[in-house]
């Protein structure tokens, strides 16, 4: 059915669902179901108190993606050379038999750890995303140390509070100041703007944004605080300096609820706005104005994002920013405190969905972000184990999104590596696979979701039939488990059974209840969310001086990066890729509005909005390089070289350049995408990739 017909067709019913994509909002959706095979418009559920009827444009147009002519419909077997894209259709049984045969042969030769199931958050459903781990654990395949996204941000936040949870995000609407720090919600999580705008409209609240360029969120802010990449620790210290100096520190709160307030106060005494201005590039007046707003308005809500943690000092900067609310005691008030993610409120029992009961701690954990080095056989990242010779990949596109692409591509090209990719589209990762399997989309299978940026548990039921021969992740994992001799009760259950029992064993009711209510509001009460009886460390104190090795974040994977030199108190930690004479520009690769990582870079309307890969550069820098609007330029650093078109924008500061979106490598002039320039070295102390922390040289092509 073409687009016009679909738009006009009257829905037979409206299905309740949840957005499955990797976005903190996990919106509650209402989907027009046109017939058993077709969806129409997608809207935000009005009664969803966080969604409030607002969703992003790309998901509102989801029919374009679900009914895209390029969707994979049949299992495929590679018939040409690796990467040639030459495939022939085969049956599901034959495809699964080949995968199982290859996995068993690899295991027989090198041991089970040679197989590396690799996944990420293309779908956030607990059944479809995480089921692959059940196979990993049951077979003792190499475990997946997930690092590409959340580690620096989550660990940095937990370092202070002791727990990944905070005030109800809907309280933003009751704040006097909303600080949107290192996240660009206008692009990445539109609902934050809904609630911040409500606070401004209803109570005259001020919106502060802290970012490295004048993106849409900065332009919408009352006080945009423009800093150099990787300098948020300095900004936070100067703000705290002013708060102590001006009598805005809540000493009663500090004494009762924090670990080292006197040390912190003494420490930030020398870190004044002049000092921070040198480091951040932000003028003294703006830093003072920011501190004044926060100091005079205790009801300040710090909405801390992921973006500013994608720096080599990102975990330290996240912690530093989270400390400000503990200095003012903002936590005490409704509409006050610091929020990053509500992951810890859900208390899931993941034994069925993920096979947590079958984990063998002695099996190595391979770092997701270092897939390039791993596939290239570098010894340190293989942790003394066998080479990786067989992979199953679901819901992720590492051939485009992983850092240090030169190695990623070299690794994937290995002839002795067998790769099966289960996908919805022929992504660049699918194109290097030996077997490609067609996957369902969220409206075509049942799944269970949680909202990281809010507080809901939601159901996303199957609403329409899958097209062609598409099968769900769960179907594929169970079918492979059978052929591989992997045993676990989860492999014998349907998605609905898994959802029902997981809700029950996690004390969240049942599937029938969730279906009736559409979502469960899992927000803890005020006292819990605001830590009024103490923070989540055993002594109840917020940590200004965290003992990083014992921060309760995924400690089983050990410490990474230059963790021994992490500063004791909040500070500017100079481990970023500072600009040099040879590489004078700092490059960040911030998310675009119309793509979600590489998802949606197949839909015509998103492509039309993003146009082509572009680099934002300050007009004065461009003039120095004799670069004009639209010119092709070359970026390089020791990791590689990328050709991209320049766009002049005075909203980026001099010496900083921004490449929004993750376009396919193939959409760049010589086939090398932006992650050719990003590094895979781990962020201290818990791993992660510093996607926005790169030094580069620039010349006209
Ligand atoms: N449209 C769209 N939505 C998305 C995504 C997408 O690609 N597109 N991605 C999804 C995913 S996987 C995630 S994890 C979230 C991420 O969403 P966010 O939390 O918003 O994180 P980022 O988008 O990585 O970066 C946010 C902002 O941080 C800025 N930034 C970078 N370095 C620094 C710094 O050192 N200091 C400061 N103050 N700011 C800095 C970037 O320029 C960017 O404007 O969004 C999700 N939503
Ligand atoms: N340069 C740069 N690189 C980045 C980032 C950045 O800011 N800049 N951000 C990083 C971040 S935060 C993240 S989270 C990663 C994300 O990177 P990825 O997790 O790889 O995200 P996507 O590129 O969106 O790819 C998800 C894929 O999953 C597929 N998919 C969706 N649902 C299903 C399903 O149910 N089954 C199967 N089998 N497949 C499905 C989609 O078709 C899509 O191709 O990228 C990272 N890379
Ligand atoms: S804002 Fe995020 S969660 Fe909501 S519909 Fe868009 S991508 Fe999905
Ligand atoms: Mo992410």
């Amino acid at each position: 059915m073409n687009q016009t017909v679909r738009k006009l067709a009257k829905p037979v019913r409206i299905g309740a669902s949840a957005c499955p994509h990797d976005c903190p909002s996990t919106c509650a959706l209402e989907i027009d179901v046109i017939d058993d095979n077709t969806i129409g418009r997608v809207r935000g559920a009005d009664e969803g108190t966080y969604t409030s009827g607002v969703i992003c444009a790309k998901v509102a147009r989801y029919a374009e993606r679900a009914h895209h002519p390029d969707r994979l419909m049949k299992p495929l077997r590679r018939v040409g050379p690796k990467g040639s894209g030459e495939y022939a259709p085969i049956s599901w049984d034959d495809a699964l038999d080949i995968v199982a045969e290859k996995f068993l042969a690899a295991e027989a030769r090198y041991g089970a750890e040679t197989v590396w199931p690799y996944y990420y958050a293309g779908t956030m459903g607990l059944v479809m995303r995480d089921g692959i781990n059940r196979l990993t654990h049951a077979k003792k395949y190499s475990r997946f140390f997930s690092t590409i996204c959340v580690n620096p941000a989550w660990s940095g936040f937990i370092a202070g509070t002791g727990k990944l949870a905070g005030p109800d995000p809907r309280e933003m609407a009751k704040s006097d100041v909303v600080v949107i720090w290192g996240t660009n919600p206008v692009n990445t999580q539109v609902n934050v703007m809904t609630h911040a705008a409500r606070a401004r409209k209803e109570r005259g609240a001020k919106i502060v944004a802290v970012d490295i360029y004048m993106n849409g969120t900065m332009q919408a802010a009352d006080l945009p605080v423009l800093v150099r990449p990787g300098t948020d620790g300095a900004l936070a210290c100067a703000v705290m300096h002013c708060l102590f100096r001006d009598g805005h520190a809540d000493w009663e709160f500090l004494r009762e609820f924090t670990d080292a307030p006197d040390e912190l106060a003494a420490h930030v005494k020398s870190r004044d706005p002049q000092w921070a201005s040198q480091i951040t590039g932000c003028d003294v007046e703006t830093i003072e104005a920011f501190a004044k707003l926060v100091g005079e308005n205790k009801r300040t809500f710090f909405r801390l994002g992921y973006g500013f943690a994608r720096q080599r000092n990102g975990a330290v900067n996240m912690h530093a920013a989270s400390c400000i609310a503990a200095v003012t005691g903002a936590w005490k008030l409704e509409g006050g405190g610091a929020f990053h993610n509500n992951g810890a409120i859900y208390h899931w029992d993941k034994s069925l969905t993920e096979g947590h009961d079958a984990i063998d701690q002695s099996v190595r954990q391979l770092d997701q972000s270092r897939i390039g080095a791993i596939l290239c056989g570098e010894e340190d990242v293989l942790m003394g184990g066998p080479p990786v010779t067989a992979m199953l990949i679901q819901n992720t596109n590492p051939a485009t999104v992983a850092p240090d692409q030169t190695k990623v591509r070299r690794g994937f090209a290995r002839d002795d590596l067998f790769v099966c990719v289960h996908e919805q589209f022929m992504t660049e990762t699918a194109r290097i696979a030996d077997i490609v399997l067609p996957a369902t989309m969220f409206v075509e299978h049942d799944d269970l979701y949680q909202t990281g940026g809010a507080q809901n548990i939601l159901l996303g039921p199957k609403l329409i039939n899958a097209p062609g021969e598409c099968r769900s992740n769960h179907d594929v994992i169970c079918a492979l488990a059978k052929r591989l001799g992997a045993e676990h009760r989860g492999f014998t259950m349907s998605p609905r059974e898994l959802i029902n029992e997981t809700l029950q064993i996690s004390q969240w009711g049942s599937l029938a209840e969730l279906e009736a209510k559409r979502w469960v509001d899992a927000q803890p009460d005020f006292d819990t969310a605001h830590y009024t009886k103490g923070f989540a460390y055993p002594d109840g104190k917020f940590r200004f001086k965290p003992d990083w090795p014992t921060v309760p974040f995924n400690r089983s994977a050990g410490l990474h990066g230059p963790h021994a030199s992490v500063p004791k108190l909040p500070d500017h930690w100079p481990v970023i890729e500072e600009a040099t004479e040879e590489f004078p520009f700092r490059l960040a690769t911030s998310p675009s509005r119309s793509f979600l990582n590489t998802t949606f870079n197949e839909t015509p309307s998103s492509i039309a909005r993003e146009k082509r890969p572009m680099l934002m550069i300050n007009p004065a820098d461009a003039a120095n390089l004799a670069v004009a609007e639209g010119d092709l330029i070359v970026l390089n650093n020791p990791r590689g070289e990328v050709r991209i078109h320049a766009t002049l924008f005075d909203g980026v500061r001099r010496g900083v350049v921004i490449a929004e979106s993750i376009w396919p490598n193939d959409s760049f002039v010589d086939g090398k995408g932006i992650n050719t320039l990003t590094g895979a070295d781990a962020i201290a102390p818990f791993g992660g990739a510093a996607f926005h922390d790169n030094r580069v040289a620039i010349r006209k092509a």
Side-chain angles (χ1 to χ4, degrees):
M1 197 188 292
N2 72 39
Q3 298 289 330
T4 336
V5 177
R6 194 178 300 128
K7 248 181 227 149
L8 296 176
K10 224 171 120 60
V12 289
R13 64 191 176 91
I14 294 169
S17 187
C19 177
H21 289 291
D22 190 359
C23 167
S25 292
T26 313
C27 291
L29 303 180
E30 279 168 8
I31 302 183
D32 285 356
V33 179
I34 310 280
D35 59 40
D36 289 347
N37 305 308
T38 319
I39 60 163
R41 283 189 59 91
V42 177
R43 290 174 301 273
D46 286 329
E47 317 90 86
T49 49
Y50 188 69
T51 306
S52 292
V54 180
I55 60 168
C56 64
K58 57 193 180 304
V59 170
R61 301 186 300 257
Y62 212 80
E64 211 188 336
R65 185 164 194 271
H67 305 302
H68 196 296
D70 296 344
R71 267 194 75 175
L72 292 170
M73 296 286 189
K74 286 177 179 348
L76 302 169
R77 182 175 57 89
R78 179 168 65 82
V79 292
K82 259 192 194 224
S84 63
E86 291 166 35
Y87 289 94
I90 50 169
S91 73
W92 266 102
D93 275 339
D94 287 349
L96 293 166
D97 286 346
I98 293 173
V99 178
E101 216 173 88
K102 293 283 185 183
F103 278 23
L104 290 169
E107 182 180 349
R109 174 145 185 222
Y110 291 107
E113 284 186 344
T114 194
V115 182
W116 191 25
Y118 192 98
Y119 72 103
Y120 206 56
T123 170
M124 295 282 279
L126 270 57
V127 174
M128 299 300 167
R129 182 192 59 195
D130 300 337
I132 193 170
N133 282 326
R134 194 189 317 116
L135 183 65
T136 299
H137 301 322
K139 286 292 298 176
K140 297 188 196 294
Y141 290 153
S142 279
R143 289 187 290 157
F144 186 71
F145 175 34
S146 161
T147 55
I148 210 160
C149 180
V150 305
N151 297 33
W154 285 15
S155 62
F157 187 87
I158 296 169
T161 57
K163 185 176 164 185
L164 187 65
D168 188 329
R170 292 165 294 195
E171 283 179 32
M172 252 181 290
K174 297 172 182 159
S175 307
D176 295 326
V177 177
V178 180
V179 180
I180 300 176
W181 196 319
T183 172
N184 181 13
V186 165
N187 283 9
T188 63
Q189 42 172 341
V190 61
N191 311 77
V192 167
M193 296 313 282
T194 309
H195 296 276
R198 188 174 291 165
R200 174 147 70 188
K201 188 156 168 248
E202 290 173 7
R203 4 180 345 117
K206 293 279 184 276
I207 299 177
V208 181
V210 184
D211 212 287
I212 56 172
Y213 72 114
M214 291 301 291
N215 57 32
T217 305
M218 290 282 272
Q219 289 180 24
D222 300 293
L223 181 66
V225 181
L226 186 65
V227 296
R228 284 196 193 108
T231 64
D232 302 76
L235 176 67
C237 284
V239 169
M240 292 190 280
H241 168 98
C242 300
L243 294 170
F244 283 113
R245 180 197 66 196
D246 299 341
H248 293 307
D250 181 340
W251 277 101
E252 206 181 309
F253 183 86
L254 284 164
R255 294 252 176 268
E256 188 174 355
F257 290 113
T258 69
D259 63 335
D262 300 290
E263 268 180 80
L264 178 72
H267 169 76
V268 297
K269 201 155 202 168
S270 59
R271 285 155 178 83
D272 62 10
Q274 280 75 16
W275 168 84
S277 179
Q278 294 290 317
I279 296 169
T280 60
C282 182
D283 54 89
V284 170
E285 297 71 48
T286 303
I287 300 174
E288 289 281 359
F290 180 18
K292 189 165 187 283
L293 267 181
V294 170
E296 291 178 354
N297 296 282
K298 199 165 185 162
R299 214 179 282 277
T300 294
F301 196 103
F302 290 84
R303 183 60 180 81
L304 307 172
Y306 288 97
F308 77 115
R310 305 197 198 293
Q311 300 279 338
R312 285 174 179 75
N313 55 8
V316 167
N317 291 351
M318 167 62 89
H319 171 250
S322 79
C323 287
I324 302 175
V327 171
T328 62
W331 287 99
K332 291 201 284 205
L333 300 176
E334 190 179 33
F339 181 87
H340 172 55
N341 184 289
N342 247 343
I345 69 173
Y346 296 104
H347 52 74
W348 294 114
D349 180 330
K350 294 199 170 179
S351 51
L352 286 170
T353 52
E354 257 186 82
H356 268 189
D357 51 343
I359 295 180
D360 178 343
Q361 299 290 352
S362 71
V363 175
R364 70 177 171 183
Q365 296 188 57
L366 297 179
D367 185 340
Q368 171 186 24
S369 301
R370 314 206 69 182
I371 180 172
I374 287 166
L375 295 186
C376 288
E378 290 182 18
E379 271 176 29
D380 55 331
V381 289
L382 286 173
M383 307 171 74
V388 169
T389 62
M391 296 182 81
L392 167 65
I393 301 179
Q394 285 184 321
N395 336 315
T396 183
N397 188 12
T400 314
V401 305
D404 208 358
Q405 279 288 306
T406 310
K407 280 189 194 168
V408 175
R409 279 141 54 96
R410 192 169 1 116
F412 269 126
R414 259 174 47 207
D415 272 327
D416 63 333
L417 172 68
F418 171 81
V419 178
C420 170
V421 174
H422 187 197
E423 247 301 344
Q424 296 163 341
F425 288 95
M426 190 55 92
T427 60
E428 292 187 320
T429 306
R431 278 174 64 98
I432 48 83
D434 299 285
I435 296 284
V436 179
L437 304 174
T440 45
M441 283 189 187
F442 76 109
V443 283
E444 299 152 10
H445 58 234
D446 296 302
D447 214 333
L448 177 66
Y449 303 87
Q450 72 177 50
T451 320
Q455 66 292 308
N456 287 330
I457 293 169
L458 299 114
L459 184 70
K462 178 172 190 239
L463 297 175
I464 58 170
N465 296 320
E469 297 175 31
C470 293
R471 290 192 189 171
S472 76
N473 289 10
H474 180 69
D475 285 349
V476 167
I477 295 298
C478 295
L480 283 176
K482 203 167 176 182
R483 286 170 171 79
L484 292 164
E487 285 181 20
H488 192 282
R489 198 159 75 85
F491 297 129
T492 67
M493 299 168 76
S494 71
R496 288 177 68 87
E497 286 166 345
L498 279 170
I499 293 168
N500 186 39
E501 214 172 305
T502 295
L503 285 166
Q504 288 177 351
I505 58 179
S506 308
Q507 272 83 52
W508 288 119
S510 66
L511 173 58
E513 283 168 52
L514 181 59
E515 218 152 21
K517 288 198 285 199
R518 294 184 54 188
W519 50 75
V520 172
D521 186 333
Q523 182 61 43
D525 60 28
F526 180 90
D527 285 331
T528 309
H530 285 256
Y531 303 103
T532 63
K533 300 192 173 86
F535 287 90
Y537 282 106
D539 62 1
K541 307 250 191 206
F542 182 95
R543 296 281 187 271
F544 291 129
K545 225 178 125 179
D547 176 35
W548 286 94
T550 63
V551 166
F553 173 80
N554 194 18
R555 286 202 295 256
S556 73
L559 297 176
H560 299 264
H563 55 87
S565 62
V566 173
K568 299 225 163 355
L569 286 155
D571 214 338
H572 174 61
W573 188 27
V575 292
I576 50 175
E577 259 190 23
E578 257 319 343
T580 59
E581 218 167 291
E582 195 184 352
F583 302 106
F585 289 91
R586 298 267 293 135
L587 163 73
T589 61
S590 314
S592 66
R593 190 156 177 180
S594 308
F595 297 159
L596 200 159
N597 304 313
T598 67
T599 304
F600 297 96
N601 70 17
E602 67 284 322
T603 54
S605 63
S606 287
I607 294 170
R609 279 173 174 80
E610 298 301 332
K611 300 192 182 78
R612 64 177 176 182
M614 280 184 287
L615 185 82
M616 296 178 196
I617 182 167
N618 184 285
D621 284 335
N624 274 350
L625 297 162
V627 165
E629 177 70 28
D631 278 356
L632 191 65
I633 53 179
V634 184
L635 307 188
N636 76 286
N637 67 14
R639 294 183 283 266
E641 193 170 283
V642 167
R643 277 154 200 268
I644 189 168
H645 291 94
T647 182
L648 277 46
F649 178 38
D650 58 10
V652 289
R653 56 167 68 249
R654 297 205 55 186
V656 175
V657 287
I658 309 282
E660 279 190 353
S661 2
I662 319 176
W663 286 89
N665 288 307
D666 269 358
S667 58
F668 285 74
V669 181
D670 56 5
K672 290 184 203 151
I674 203 68
N675 278 319
T676 308
L677 298 167
T678 58
D681 51 304
I683 296 175
F686 292 103
F691 286 108
H692 306 329
D693 179 8
N694 315 283
R695 58 173 159 243
V696 294
I698 302 181
R699 63 176 196 274
K700 202 170 155 169

